[in-house]
């Protein structure tokens, strides 16, 4: 499940496909080779240098799916390539212009794509340079950005999320945008603040698990759309060397997956996240198939910050 487990003789496409197939098998997720290989083949040998992660979610919405995400070469436009290969349709919706509009206005350090083993192509990620995080007000001024970003600036400031973003995710299927903030307040997000912010954007009352993860979060991100004037979802992310050590109850399949990953590479790291919804919350676990180099930059963390993870 991790390249740290030993050398691999196959080419990068075949190696990553084998890892996806193995992970999907642990989670009882259908893995269709003819659906996955066209996505991997778009980048071919470049996958050998990519940061690669797997992500799974809890709840009925995420049942039977496994996401794979990997970084892509900066010189290749990942949206144009996905459209050219028929992975996502060309559209006149602002979501189709957002990547190029951001690139015209902001420095981009790297790209990434996200696809479901079952559902196919989903997202493109833009990572800003660690030493040049982008002002939210500047991002809000980009023509194709959801207007709710600009309308939420006071909300972000009021709850200490910060005024800069380190990472954006564009979801072409759901026509939403994820905005990842640079760093949380010292000491994380206090329970009263979490309750208040969720109430303000019409989310469900948080569980005690969510409140505890909010205290420990290294990062926070919000989900916005063109169809709502408010933040649609808030997610708190915690870094850990062992998800079983967190104040959460792991699903048996997730626990089996975690144990397998740790057996292959005891030094790996996970990101465990809780996301709000109007009707409750759900959890996401991210495991790194290839942890270094580059993961700390993607997470906007300083070197050594995960030496003693939560």
């Amino acid at each position: 499940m991790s390249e740290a487990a030993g050398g691999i003789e196959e080419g990068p496409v075949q190696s990553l496909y084998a890892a996806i197939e193995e992970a999907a098998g642990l989670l009882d997720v259908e893995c269709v080779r003819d659906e996955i290989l066209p996505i991997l083949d778009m980048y071919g040998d470049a996958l050998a240098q990519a940061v690669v992660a797997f992500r799974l979610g809890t709840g009925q919405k995420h049942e039977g799916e496994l996401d794979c995400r990997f970084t892509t070469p900066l010189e290749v436009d990942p949206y144009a390539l996905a459209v050219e290969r028929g992975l996502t349709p060309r559209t006149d919706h602002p979501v189709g212009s957002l990547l190029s509009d951001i690139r015209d206005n902001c420095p981009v350090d790297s790209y990434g794509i996200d696809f479901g083993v079952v559902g196919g192509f989903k997202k493109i990620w833009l990572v800003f340079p660690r030493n040049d995080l982008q002002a939210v007000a500047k991002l809000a001024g980009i023509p194709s950005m959801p207007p709710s970003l600009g309308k939420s600036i006071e909300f972000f400031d009021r709850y200490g999320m910060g005024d800069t973003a380190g990472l954006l995710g564009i979801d072409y299927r759901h026509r939403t945008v994820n905005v990842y903030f640079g760093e949380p307040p010292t000491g994380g997000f206090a329970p009263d603040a979490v309750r208040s912010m969720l109430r303000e954007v019409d989310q469900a009352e948080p569980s005690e698990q969510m409140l505890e993860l909010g205290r420990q979060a290294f990062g926070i991100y919000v989900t916005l759309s063109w169809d709502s004037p408010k933040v649609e979802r808030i997610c708190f992310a915690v870094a850990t060397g062992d998800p079983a050590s967190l104040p959460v109850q792991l699903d048996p399949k997730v626990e089996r997956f975690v144990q397998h990953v740790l057996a292959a590479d005891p030094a790996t790291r996970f990101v465990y996240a809780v996301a709000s919804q109007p009707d409750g919350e759900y959890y996401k676990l991210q495991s790194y198939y290839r942890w270094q180099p580059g993961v700390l930059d993607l997470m906007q963390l300083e070197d050594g910050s995960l030496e003693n993870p939560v």
Side-chain angles (χ1 to χ4, degrees):
M1 195 61 61
S2 165
E3 286 196 332
I8 298 175
E9 298 296 330
E10 304 169 295
V13 169
Q14 291 74 23
S15 296
L16 182 51
Y17 176 78
I20 292 170
E21 189 174 51
E22 181 182 11
L26 288 167
L27 298 165
D28 299 328
V29 172
E30 181 183 11
C31 189
V32 181
R33 185 181 183 91
D34 290 344
E35 297 291 331
I36 297 170
L37 283 181
I39 299 174
L40 304 185
D41 284 337
M42 287 197 305
Y43 294 98
D45 290 342
L47 291 174
Q49 286 77 46
V51 175
V52 181
F54 297 129
R55 197 198 73 171
L56 52 132
T58 63
Q60 187 174 3
K61 177 182 176 182
H62 303 279
E63 183 70 24
E65 182 64 291
L66 170 70
D67 289 343
C68 177
R69 47 188 57 179
F70 56 83
T71 53
T72 66
L74 190 58
E75 65 272 14
V76 177
D77 183 326
Y79 177 65
L81 186 57
V83 170
E84 177 188 318
R85 298 294 181 92
L87 300 180
T88 190
R90 192 178 301 279
T91 177
D92 293 330
H93 187 277
V95 72
S97 305
L98 187 54
L99 179 66
S100 60
D101 284 352
I102 294 172
R103 190 171 53 233
D104 289 344
N105 288 275
C106 306
V108 177
D109 187 69
S110 60
Y111 295 125
I113 69 167
D114 190 335
F115 69 93
V117 170
V118 175
F121 179 83
K122 293 181 178 180
K123 293 184 182 181
I124 289 174
W125 305 92
L126 300 95
V127 182
F128 301 126
R130 192 193 292 193
N131 62 356
D132 195 7
L133 304 185
Q134 295 298 291
V136 174
K138 177 182 176 181
L139 294 172
I142 291 173
S144 55
M145 189 69 68
S148 50
L149 180 61
K151 294 176 181 178
S152 301
I153 289 177
E154 289 185 6
F155 173 83
F156 303 145
D157 183 62
R158 188 160 57 252
Y159 292 106
M161 295 186 201
D163 59 1
T164 58
L167 175 69
L168 290 183
I170 306 172
D171 188 323
Y172 292 90
R173 178 174 303 168
H174 297 107
R175 293 182 172 177
T176 59
V177 176
N178 302 134
V179 181
Y180 292 72
F181 290 88
E183 67 179 64
T186 302
F189 295 91
D192 286 347
V194 173
R195 291 190 185 97
S196 179
M197 72 169 72
L198 294 183
R199 201 173 297 128
E200 189 170 337
V201 293
D202 302 322
Q203 305 291 293
E205 189 69 14
S207 69
E208 288 301 316
Q209 288 185 168
M210 186 175 197
L211 295 176
E212 186 57 36
L213 291 175
R215 288 180 185 270
Q216 302 177 38
F218 74 81
I220 184 172
Y221 73 86
V222 299
T223 301
L224 308 160
S225 81
W226 286 265
D227 301 323
S228 172
K230 290 185 176 183
V231 168
E232 291 200 340
R233 192 161 57 248
I234 299 174
C235 185
F236 301 96
V238 174
T240 179
D242 182 5
S245 69
L246 296 173
V248 296
Q249 182 66 45
L250 298 179
D251 177 273
K253 287 182 184 178
V254 175
E255 189 170 10
R256 185 168 71 239
F257 177 80
V258 168
Q259 290 173 350
H260 185 87
V261 172
L262 288 173
D265 182 11
T268 193
R269 295 292 182 266
F270 299 86
V271 172
Y272 197 88
V274 55
S276 68
Q277 292 187 136
D279 59 351
E281 60 199 44
Y282 66 95
Y283 295 84
K284 298 179 283 188
L285 176 71
Q286 183 157 299
S287 160
Y288 287 91
Y289 167 69
R290 187 178 298 125
W291 168 254
Q292 290 285 11
V295 174
L296 294 177
D297 287 326
L298 291 177
M299 296 165 70
Q300 304 296 332
L301 296 175
E302 297 299 324
D303 293 340
S305 58
L306 296 184
E307 289 302 315
N308 297 296
V310 176

Short mmCIF file of all heavy atoms in Angstrom, two decimals, residues 95-155:
data_model
loop_
_atom_site.label_atom_id
_atom_site.label_comp_id
_atom_site.label_asym_id
_atom_site.label_seq_id
_atom_site.Cartn_x
_atom_site.Cartn_y
_atom_site.Cartn_z
N VAL A 95 -17.53 27.09 -13.78
CA VAL A 95 -16.56 26.10 -13.30
C VAL A 95 -15.54 25.75 -14.40
O VAL A 95 -14.38 25.42 -14.11
CB VAL A 95 -17.28 24.83 -12.79
CG1 VAL A 95 -17.85 24.01 -13.93
CG2 VAL A 95 -16.35 23.97 -11.94
N GLY A 96 -15.98 25.83 -15.67
CA GLY A 96 -15.09 25.49 -16.78
C GLY A 96 -14.02 26.53 -17.04
O GLY A 96 -13.01 26.23 -17.69
N SER A 97 -14.21 27.75 -16.54
CA SER A 97 -13.24 28.84 -16.75
C SER A 97 -12.37 29.08 -15.52
O SER A 97 -11.37 29.81 -15.61
CB SER A 97 -13.98 30.15 -17.08
OG SER A 97 -14.82 29.99 -18.18
N LEU A 98 -12.74 28.51 -14.39
CA LEU A 98 -12.11 28.90 -13.13
C LEU A 98 -10.61 28.59 -13.09
O LEU A 98 -9.81 29.42 -12.64
CB LEU A 98 -12.82 28.23 -11.96
CG LEU A 98 -12.37 28.66 -10.57
CD1 LEU A 98 -12.44 30.17 -10.40
CD2 LEU A 98 -13.20 27.95 -9.50
N LEU A 99 -10.21 27.42 -13.56
CA LEU A 99 -8.79 27.06 -13.51
C LEU A 99 -7.94 28.07 -14.28
O LEU A 99 -6.94 28.58 -13.76
CB LEU A 99 -8.57 25.66 -14.07
CG LEU A 99 -7.11 25.17 -14.09
CD1 LEU A 99 -6.58 25.00 -12.68
CD2 LEU A 99 -6.99 23.87 -14.86
N SER A 100 -8.34 28.39 -15.50
CA SER A 100 -7.54 29.32 -16.30
C SER A 100 -7.59 30.73 -15.71
O SER A 100 -6.59 31.46 -15.74
CB SER A 100 -8.02 29.34 -17.75
OG SER A 100 -9.37 29.73 -17.84
N ASP A 101 -8.73 31.13 -15.13
CA ASP A 101 -8.82 32.45 -14.52
C ASP A 101 -7.91 32.57 -13.30
O ASP A 101 -7.27 33.61 -13.08
CB ASP A 101 -10.27 32.73 -14.11
CG ASP A 101 -11.16 33.08 -15.28
OD1 ASP A 101 -10.62 33.25 -16.40
OD2 ASP A 101 -12.39 33.19 -15.09
N ILE A 102 -7.84 31.52 -12.50
CA ILE A 102 -6.94 31.53 -11.34
C ILE A 102 -5.50 31.60 -11.82
O ILE A 102 -4.68 32.37 -11.30
CB ILE A 102 -7.16 30.29 -10.46
CG1 ILE A 102 -8.56 30.32 -9.83
CG2 ILE A 102 -6.09 30.22 -9.36
CD1 ILE A 102 -8.93 29.04 -9.11
N ARG A 103 -5.19 30.79 -12.82
CA ARG A 103 -3.82 30.75 -13.34
C ARG A 103 -3.40 32.11 -13.90
O ARG A 103 -2.24 32.50 -13.79
CB ARG A 103 -3.72 29.67 -14.40
CG ARG A 103 -2.30 29.35 -14.86
CD ARG A 103 -2.27 28.12 -15.73
NE ARG A 103 -3.21 28.22 -16.83
CZ ARG A 103 -4.13 27.30 -17.12
NH1 ARG A 103 -4.26 26.23 -16.37
NH2 ARG A 103 -4.95 27.45 -18.15
N ASP A 104 -4.35 32.85 -14.47
CA ASP A 104 -4.04 34.18 -15.02
C ASP A 104 -3.80 35.22 -13.93
O ASP A 104 -3.20 36.27 -14.21
CB ASP A 104 -5.19 34.65 -15.92
CG ASP A 104 -5.28 33.88 -17.22
OD1 ASP A 104 -4.30 33.20 -17.57
OD2 ASP A 104 -6.34 33.96 -17.87
N ASN A 105 -4.26 34.94 -12.72
CA ASN A 105 -4.20 35.94 -11.65
C ASN A 105 -3.29 35.56 -10.49
O ASN A 105 -2.96 36.44 -9.68
CB ASN A 105 -5.61 36.20 -11.10
CG ASN A 105 -6.48 36.97 -12.06
OD1 ASN A 105 -6.44 38.20 -12.09
ND2 ASN A 105 -7.27 36.27 -12.87
N CYS A 106 -2.91 34.29 -10.39
CA CYS A 106 -2.18 33.83 -9.20
C CYS A 106 -1.03 32.90 -9.58
O CYS A 106 -1.13 32.17 -10.58
CB CYS A 106 -3.12 33.05 -8.27
SG CYS A 106 -4.62 33.92 -7.80
N PRO A 107 0.03 32.87 -8.77
CA PRO A 107 1.09 31.89 -9.01
C PRO A 107 0.61 30.51 -8.59
O PRO A 107 -0.08 30.36 -7.58
CB PRO A 107 2.22 32.38 -8.09
CG PRO A 107 1.51 33.08 -6.97
CD PRO A 107 0.30 33.72 -7.59
N VAL A 108 0.93 29.50 -9.37
CA VAL A 108 0.53 28.13 -9.06
C VAL A 108 1.80 27.30 -8.89
O VAL A 108 2.65 27.28 -9.78
CB VAL A 108 -0.36 27.53 -10.16
CG1 VAL A 108 -0.69 26.07 -9.85
CG2 VAL A 108 -1.65 28.34 -10.31
N ASP A 109 1.91 26.62 -7.77
CA ASP A 109 3.09 25.81 -7.48
C ASP A 109 2.98 24.40 -8.07
O ASP A 109 3.94 23.83 -8.55
CB ASP A 109 3.30 25.72 -5.97
CG ASP A 109 4.60 25.05 -5.60
OD1 ASP A 109 5.66 25.65 -5.85
OD2 ASP A 109 4.56 23.91 -5.08
N SER A 110 1.75 23.84 -8.01
CA SER A 110 1.54 22.50 -8.57
C SER A 110 0.06 22.24 -8.76
O SER A 110 -0.80 22.95 -8.21
CB SER A 110 2.15 21.42 -7.66
OG SER A 110 1.55 21.44 -6.37
N TYR A 111 -0.24 21.22 -9.55
CA TYR A 111 -1.60 20.76 -9.79
C TYR A 111 -1.76 19.34 -9.25
O TYR A 111 -0.79 18.62 -9.04
CB TYR A 111 -1.93 20.71 -11.28
CG TYR A 111 -1.95 22.01 -12.02
CD1 TYR A 111 -1.16 22.18 -13.17
CD2 TYR A 111 -2.78 23.06 -11.64
CE1 TYR A 111 -1.18 23.37 -13.89
CE2 TYR A 111 -2.81 24.24 -12.35
CZ TYR A 111 -2.00 24.40 -13.47
OH TYR A 111 -2.03 25.56 -14.18
N GLY A 112 -3.01 18.95 -9.10
CA GLY A 112 -3.32 17.57 -8.80
C GLY A 112 -4.69 17.24 -9.35
O GLY A 112 -5.48 18.14 -9.65
N ILE A 113 -4.98 15.96 -9.53
CA ILE A 113 -6.32 15.55 -9.93
C ILE A 113 -6.83 14.51 -8.95
O ILE A 113 -6.06 13.86 -8.23
CB ILE A 113 -6.39 15.01 -11.37
CG1 ILE A 113 -5.66 13.67 -11.50
CG2 ILE A 113 -5.86 16.01 -12.36
CD1 ILE A 113 -5.97 12.97 -12.82
N ASP A 114 -8.14 14.36 -8.93
CA ASP A 114 -8.82 13.47 -7.99
C ASP A 114 -9.86 12.69 -8.79
O ASP A 114 -10.64 13.28 -9.53
CB ASP A 114 -9.49 14.35 -6.92
CG ASP A 114 -10.03 13.57 -5.74
OD1 ASP A 114 -10.32 12.37 -5.92
OD2 ASP A 114 -10.18 14.16 -4.67
N PHE A 115 -9.85 11.37 -8.65
CA PHE A 115 -10.87 10.58 -9.33
C PHE A 115 -11.34 9.45 -8.44
O PHE A 115 -10.63 9.00 -7.54
CB PHE A 115 -10.35 10.02 -10.66
CG PHE A 115 -9.29 8.96 -10.53
CD1 PHE A 115 -9.63 7.62 -10.51
CD2 PHE A 115 -7.95 9.31 -10.44
CE1 PHE A 115 -8.66 6.63 -10.40
CE2 PHE A 115 -6.97 8.34 -10.33
CZ PHE A 115 -7.32 6.99 -10.30
N GLY A 116 -12.57 9.02 -8.66
CA GLY A 116 -13.11 7.89 -7.94
C GLY A 116 -12.87 6.62 -8.73
O GLY A 116 -12.99 6.59 -9.96
N VAL A 117 -12.52 5.56 -8.03
CA VAL A 117 -12.30 4.27 -8.69
C VAL A 117 -13.56 3.84 -9.42
O VAL A 117 -13.50 3.24 -10.50
CB VAL A 117 -11.87 3.22 -7.63
CG1 VAL A 117 -11.86 1.82 -8.22
CG2 VAL A 117 -10.49 3.56 -7.08
N VAL A 118 -14.72 4.16 -8.85
CA VAL A 118 -16.00 3.83 -9.48
C VAL A 118 -16.53 5.03 -10.28
O VAL A 118 -16.97 4.88 -11.41
CB VAL A 118 -17.03 3.41 -8.41
CG1 VAL A 118 -18.41 3.19 -9.06
CG2 VAL A 118 -16.57 2.16 -7.69
N GLY A 119 -16.47 6.23 -9.70
CA GLY A 119 -17.13 7.39 -10.27
C GLY A 119 -16.35 8.15 -11.32
O GLY A 119 -16.91 8.98 -12.03
N GLY A 120 -15.05 7.89 -11.44
CA GLY A 120 -14.25 8.56 -12.45
C GLY A 120 -13.76 9.94 -12.04
O GLY A 120 -13.76 10.30 -10.86
N PHE A 121 -13.35 10.73 -13.01
CA PHE A 121 -12.73 12.04 -12.80
C PHE A 121 -13.66 12.97 -12.00
O PHE A 121 -14.85 13.09 -12.29
CB PHE A 121 -12.42 12.67 -14.16
CG PHE A 121 -11.80 14.03 -14.08
CD1 PHE A 121 -10.44 14.18 -13.88
CD2 PHE A 121 -12.59 15.17 -14.22
CE1 PHE A 121 -9.87 15.45 -13.81
CE2 PHE A 121 -12.03 16.43 -14.16
CZ PHE A 121 -10.67 16.58 -13.95
N LYS A 122 -13.06 13.68 -10.99
CA LYS A 122 -13.86 14.55 -10.14
C LYS A 122 -13.29 15.96 -10.04
O LYS A 122 -13.99 16.93 -10.32
CB LYS A 122 -13.94 13.97 -8.72
CG LYS A 122 -14.72 12.68 -8.59
CD LYS A 122 -14.76 12.22 -7.14
CE LYS A 122 -15.59 10.95 -7.00
NZ LYS A 122 -15.64 10.50 -5.59
N LYS A 123 -12.04 16.09 -9.58
CA LYS A 123 -11.52 17.40 -9.18
C LYS A 123 -10.15 17.69 -9.76
O LYS A 123 -9.41 16.77 -10.13
CB LYS A 123 -11.39 17.49 -7.65
CG LYS A 123 -12.68 17.47 -6.88
CD LYS A 123 -12.39 17.66 -5.38
CE LYS A 123 -13.66 17.59 -4.56
NZ LYS A 123 -13.40 17.80 -3.12
N ILE A 124 -9.86 18.97 -9.79
CA ILE A 124 -8.50 19.44 -10.03
C ILE A 124 -8.10 20.31 -8.85
O ILE A 124 -8.89 21.12 -8.34
CB ILE A 124 -8.40 20.25 -11.34
CG1 ILE A 124 -8.55 19.31 -12.55
CG2 ILE A 124 -7.08 21.01 -11.43
CD1 ILE A 124 -8.62 20.01 -13.88
N TRP A 125 -6.85 20.13 -8.39
CA TRP A 125 -6.30 20.89 -7.27
C TRP A 125 -5.26 21.88 -7.78
O TRP A 125 -4.47 21.56 -8.66
CB TRP A 125 -5.65 19.95 -6.26
CG TRP A 125 -6.58 18.88 -5.79
CD1 TRP A 125 -6.74 17.62 -6.33
CD2 TRP A 125 -7.50 18.97 -4.73
NE1 TRP A 125 -7.70 16.94 -5.66
CE2 TRP A 125 -8.19 17.73 -4.66
CE3 TRP A 125 -7.82 19.97 -3.81
CZ2 TRP A 125 -9.17 17.48 -3.71
CZ3 TRP A 125 -8.79 19.71 -2.86
CH2 TRP A 125 -9.46 18.48 -2.82
N LEU A 126 -5.27 23.07 -7.19
CA LEU A 126 -4.23 24.06 -7.45
C LEU A 126 -3.56 24.38 -6.12
O LEU A 126 -4.23 24.79 -5.16
CB LEU A 126 -4.80 25.35 -8.03
CG LEU A 126 -5.56 25.28 -9.34
CD1 LEU A 126 -7.06 25.16 -9.06
CD2 LEU A 126 -5.30 26.53 -10.17
N VAL A 127 -2.25 24.20 -6.07
CA VAL A 127 -1.48 24.50 -4.86
C VAL A 127 -0.71 25.79 -5.09
O VAL A 127 0.03 25.91 -6.07
CB VAL A 127 -0.51 23.35 -4.53
CG1 VAL A 127 0.25 23.64 -3.23
CG2 VAL A 127 -1.26 22.03 -4.41
N PHE A 128 -0.88 26.75 -4.18
CA PHE A 128 -0.12 27.99 -4.26
C PHE A 128 1.22 27.83 -3.55
O PHE A 128 1.35 26.99 -2.64
CB PHE A 128 -0.92 29.13 -3.61
CG PHE A 128 -2.26 29.37 -4.25
CD1 PHE A 128 -3.42 29.37 -3.50
CD2 PHE A 128 -2.36 29.58 -5.62
CE1 PHE A 128 -4.65 29.58 -4.08
CE2 PHE A 128 -3.60 29.79 -6.21
CZ PHE A 128 -4.75 29.79 -5.44
N PRO A 129 2.24 28.59 -3.94
CA PRO A 129 3.54 28.47 -3.27
C PRO A 129 3.41 28.71 -1.76
O PRO A 129 2.65 29.58 -1.33
CB PRO A 129 4.37 29.58 -3.93
CG PRO A 129 3.72 29.81 -5.25
CD PRO A 129 2.25 29.59 -5.03
N ARG A 130 4.14 27.93 -0.99
CA ARG A 130 4.05 28.04 0.47
C ARG A 130 4.41 29.45 0.94
O ARG A 130 3.86 29.93 1.94
CB ARG A 130 4.96 27.01 1.14
CG ARG A 130 4.70 26.88 2.64
CD ARG A 130 5.79 26.10 3.36
NE ARG A 130 5.81 24.70 2.97
CZ ARG A 130 6.50 23.78 3.63
NH1 ARG A 130 7.22 24.12 4.70
NH2 ARG A 130 6.52 22.53 3.23
N ASN A 131 5.33 30.09 0.25
CA ASN A 131 5.74 31.45 0.65
C ASN A 131 4.95 32.54 -0.07
O ASN A 131 5.31 33.72 -0.01
CB ASN A 131 7.24 31.64 0.40
CG ASN A 131 7.60 31.51 -1.07
OD1 ASN A 131 6.75 31.19 -1.89
ND2 ASN A 131 8.87 31.73 -1.39
N ASP A 132 3.86 32.15 -0.75
CA ASP A 132 3.05 33.12 -1.47
C ASP A 132 1.59 32.68 -1.46
O ASP A 132 0.95 32.55 -2.52
CB ASP A 132 3.56 33.29 -2.91
CG ASP A 132 3.02 34.53 -3.60
OD1 ASP A 132 2.34 35.33 -2.91
OD2 ASP A 132 3.26 34.69 -4.80
N LEU A 133 1.06 32.45 -0.25
CA LEU A 133 -0.36 32.11 -0.13
C LEU A 133 -1.19 33.28 -0.66
O LEU A 133 -0.78 34.44 -0.57
CB LEU A 133 -0.71 31.82 1.33
CG LEU A 133 0.10 30.72 2.03
CD1 LEU A 133 -0.44 30.47 3.43
CD2 LEU A 133 0.12 29.44 1.21
N GLN A 134 -2.35 32.98 -1.17
CA GLN A 134 -3.14 34.00 -1.86
C GLN A 134 -4.24 34.59 -0.98
O GLN A 134 -4.95 33.86 -0.27
CB GLN A 134 -3.75 33.40 -3.13
CG GLN A 134 -2.71 32.99 -4.15
CD GLN A 134 -1.90 34.18 -4.65
OE1 GLN A 134 -2.41 35.04 -5.34
NE2 GLN A 134 -0.62 34.23 -4.28
N ALA A 135 -4.37 35.92 -1.04
CA ALA A 135 -5.39 36.61 -0.26
C ALA A 135 -6.78 36.18 -0.72
O ALA A 135 -7.05 36.11 -1.92
CB ALA A 135 -5.24 38.12 -0.40
N VAL A 136 -7.64 35.88 0.25
CA VAL A 136 -9.00 35.47 -0.09
C VAL A 136 -9.71 36.57 -0.87
O VAL A 136 -10.47 36.30 -1.81
CB VAL A 136 -9.77 35.10 1.19
CG1 VAL A 136 -11.23 34.82 0.87
CG2 VAL A 136 -9.14 33.88 1.85
N ALA A 137 -9.48 37.83 -0.49
CA ALA A 137 -10.12 38.94 -1.20
C ALA A 137 -9.71 38.96 -2.67
O ALA A 137 -10.52 39.26 -3.55
CB ALA A 137 -9.77 40.27 -0.53
N LYS A 138 -8.44 38.64 -2.95
CA LYS A 138 -7.97 38.59 -4.33
C LYS A 138 -8.66 37.45 -5.08
O LYS A 138 -9.12 37.63 -6.22
CB LYS A 138 -6.46 38.42 -4.35
CG LYS A 138 -5.86 38.27 -5.74
CD LYS A 138 -4.37 38.05 -5.66
CE LYS A 138 -3.75 37.80 -7.04
NZ LYS A 138 -2.28 37.57 -6.96
N LEU A 139 -8.74 36.28 -4.45
CA LEU A 139 -9.39 35.14 -5.09
C LEU A 139 -10.87 35.44 -5.35
O LEU A 139 -11.42 35.05 -6.38
CB LEU A 139 -9.25 33.90 -4.21
CG LEU A 139 -7.83 33.37 -4.02
CD1 LEU A 139 -7.81 32.26 -2.97
CD2 LEU A 139 -7.26 32.85 -5.33
N ALA A 140 -11.50 36.13 -4.41
CA ALA A 140 -12.92 36.44 -4.56
C ALA A 140 -13.17 37.36 -5.75
O ALA A 140 -14.27 37.38 -6.30
CB ALA A 140 -13.45 37.09 -3.28
N GLY A 141 -12.16 38.12 -6.17
CA GLY A 141 -12.30 39.03 -7.29
C GLY A 141 -12.14 38.38 -8.64
O GLY A 141 -12.35 39.04 -9.68
N ILE A 142 -11.77 37.11 -8.68
CA ILE A 142 -11.63 36.40 -9.96
C ILE A 142 -13.02 36.20 -10.56
O ILE A 142 -13.94 35.72 -9.88
CB ILE A 142 -10.90 35.06 -9.73
CG1 ILE A 142 -9.45 35.33 -9.35
CG2 ILE A 142 -10.99 34.17 -10.97
CD1 ILE A 142 -8.67 34.10 -8.95
N PRO A 143 -13.23 36.58 -11.82
CA PRO A 143 -14.58 36.63 -12.40
C PRO A 143 -15.39 35.35 -12.27
O PRO A 143 -16.60 35.41 -12.01
CB PRO A 143 -14.31 36.95 -13.88
CG PRO A 143 -12.98 37.63 -13.88
CD PRO A 143 -12.19 37.01 -12.76
N SER A 144 -14.78 34.19 -12.45
CA SER A 144 -15.54 32.95 -12.44
C SER A 144 -15.64 32.29 -11.06
O SER A 144 -16.22 31.22 -10.93
CB SER A 144 -14.92 31.96 -13.44
OG SER A 144 -13.54 31.78 -13.15
N MET A 145 -15.08 32.92 -10.02
CA MET A 145 -15.15 32.37 -8.67
C MET A 145 -16.59 32.46 -8.14
O MET A 145 -17.30 33.44 -8.41
CB MET A 145 -14.21 33.16 -7.75
CG MET A 145 -14.04 32.55 -6.37
SD MET A 145 -13.15 30.97 -6.36
CE MET A 145 -11.49 31.50 -6.82
N PRO A 146 -17.04 31.46 -7.36
CA PRO A 146 -18.37 31.58 -6.76
C PRO A 146 -18.50 32.87 -5.95
O PRO A 146 -17.62 33.19 -5.14
CB PRO A 146 -18.46 30.36 -5.85
CG PRO A 146 -17.56 29.36 -6.48
CD PRO A 146 -16.42 30.15 -7.05
N PRO A 147 -19.55 33.66 -6.15
CA PRO A 147 -19.72 34.92 -5.42
C PRO A 147 -19.74 34.74 -3.90
O PRO A 147 -19.42 35.66 -3.16
CB PRO A 147 -21.07 35.44 -5.93
CG PRO A 147 -21.22 34.83 -7.28
CD PRO A 147 -20.60 33.47 -7.16
N SER A 148 -20.10 33.54 -3.45
CA SER A 148 -20.18 33.29 -2.01
C SER A 148 -18.83 33.41 -1.33
O SER A 148 -18.76 33.64 -0.11
CB SER A 148 -20.76 31.90 -1.74
OG SER A 148 -20.10 30.91 -2.51
N LEU A 149 -17.72 33.31 -2.08
CA LEU A 149 -16.41 33.48 -1.44
C LEU A 149 -16.26 34.92 -0.94
O LEU A 149 -15.87 35.15 0.20
CB LEU A 149 -15.29 33.13 -2.43
CG LEU A 149 -13.87 33.27 -1.87
CD1 LEU A 149 -13.66 32.34 -0.67
CD2 LEU A 149 -12.82 32.98 -2.95
N GLY A 150 -16.57 35.88 -1.79
CA GLY A 150 -16.48 37.27 -1.38
C GLY A 150 -17.46 37.62 -0.28
O GLY A 150 -17.14 38.39 0.64
N LYS A 151 -18.65 37.04 -0.33
CA LYS A 151 -19.66 37.31 0.68
C LYS A 151 -19.32 36.71 2.04
O LYS A 151 -19.92 37.07 3.06
CB LYS A 151 -21.01 36.78 0.21
CG LYS A 151 -21.57 37.51 -1.01
CD LYS A 151 -22.86 36.88 -1.49
CE LYS A 151 -23.40 37.61 -2.72
NZ LYS A 151 -24.63 36.99 -3.25
N SER A 152 -18.35 35.77 2.07
CA SER A 152 -18.01 35.06 3.31
C SER A 152 -16.74 35.58 3.97
O SER A 152 -16.32 35.02 4.99
CB SER A 152 -17.87 33.57 3.01
OG SER A 152 -19.06 33.03 2.48
N ILE A 153 -16.10 36.61 3.42
CA ILE A 153 -14.82 37.06 3.95
C ILE A 153 -14.92 37.46 5.43
O ILE A 153 -14.06 37.10 6.25
CB ILE A 153 -14.25 38.22 3.10
CG1 ILE A 153 -13.78 37.67 1.74
CG2 ILE A 153 -13.09 38.91 3.81
CD1 ILE A 153 -13.28 38.74 0.78
N GLU A 154 -15.96 38.18 5.80
CA GLU A 154 -16.14 38.57 7.19
C GLU A 154 -16.33 37.34 8.08
O GLU A 154 -15.86 37.29 9.22
CB GLU A 154 -17.31 39.52 7.35
CG GLU A 154 -17.06 40.90 6.78
CD GLU A 154 -18.20 41.86 7.07
OE1 GLU A 154 -19.13 41.47 7.81
OE2 GLU A 154 -18.16 43.00 6.55
N PHE A 155 -17.02 36.34 7.56
CA PHE A 155 -17.22 35.08 8.29
C PHE A 155 -15.88 34.41 8.57
O PHE A 155 -15.59 33.98 9.69
CB PHE A 155 -18.13 34.17 7.46
CG PHE A 155 -18.29 32.77 7.99
CD1 PHE A 155 -19.21 32.50 8.98
CD2 PHE A 155 -17.54 31.73 7.47
CE1 PHE A 155 -19.38 31.21 9.46
CE2 PHE A 155 -17.70 30.43 7.94
CZ PHE A 155 -18.62 30.17 8.95
#
